[in-house]
Amino acid sequence: MTLKHRLLPLLLAAALAPAVAHADLAVTTQGVNMRAGPGETYPIMWTYQRAGLPVEIIEEFDIWRRIRDHDGVVGWVKSTLLVGKRNVIVRDSQRPLRASAEAGAKPVALVDPGVILKVLECSGDWCRLEVQGYKGWMMKTEFWGVYPQEMLED
């Protein structure tokens, strides 16, 4: 097998892989600095203070990750400040966390905008989430932090 034939599957896999991924921001006691570029010499644009804030990784450079937050703010953070757990954040208005993945299902809790929830699983248009001991289902359109077609297993 030639080098060309050995590299072809790798190149195809890389071409088909998603260009972005979601991660969560792990906030240290000093906060997490978002910078204008991939390095500590670049100016700090923003300092995140909330633990578990979901972000989207849109680019990688060495130990730096270019991220986008739920407000659309883009900048660079060190990869060591990102963790692989999945969280989401509720959008615009209060949303029900439902007992089952059905629009008419009984709410188990009402979740205010800006609240961060842990993702347990996602299937179809729904995700099973947890916040403060409450577990339930919410439609993907009601929060930010997973892609529309993304499936996650418990």
Side-chain angles (χ1 to χ4, degrees):
M1 182 180 265
T2 67
L3 179 61
K4 178 181 174 185
H5 289 103
R6 279 184 274 171
L7 289 178
L8 186 58
L10 293 174
L11 293 173
L12 286 174
L16 297 174
V20 294
H22 280 278
D24 293 315
L25 203 55
V27 176
T28 62
T29 54
Q30 295 84 27
V32 173
N33 293 327
M34 176 187 270
R35 296 184 175 271
E40 292 187 3
T41 58
Y42 289 91
I44 295 170
M45 299 168 35
W46 188 258
T47 300
Y48 290 102
Q49 301 293 337
R50 292 186 70 190
L53 185 71
V55 297
E56 180 181 28
I57 298 171
I58 57 176
E59 190 176 341
E60 297 181 2
F61 178 79
D62 193 26
I63 64 165
W64 294 88
R65 301 297 178 263
R66 189 168 183 228
I67 62 166
R68 178 181 301 122
D69 69 16
H70 67 283
D71 289 326
V73 177
V74 174
W76 293 86
V77 298
K78 279 186 178 177
S79 61
T80 56
L81 301 175
L82 298 172
V83 294
K85 64 180 183 166
R86 295 297 298 272
N87 289 341
V88 296
I89 189 166
V90 174
R91 296 178 182 237
D92 1 286
S93 59
Q94 191 177 65
R95 304 293 183 168
L97 192 61
R98 300 188 179 278
S100 62
E102 301 170 14
K106 177 183 171 185
V108 296
L110 294 175
V111 185
D112 289 329
V115 170
I116 296 171
L117 300 94
K118 178 182 175 183
V119 177
L120 302 175
E121 66 180 289
C122 293
S123 179
D125 294 332
W126 295 83
C127 288
R128 187 166 174 252
L129 308 170
E130 180 180 11
V131 61
Q132 296 179 357
Y134 293 96
K135 294 179 182 179
W137 294 86
M138 195 177 288
M139 291 194 71
K140 291 178 181 177
T141 56
E142 297 178 313
F143 56 81
W144 187 90
V146 298
Y147 300 113
Q149 302 305 319
E150 190 171 14
M151 303 294 179
L152 299 170
E153 293 181 13
D154 192 12

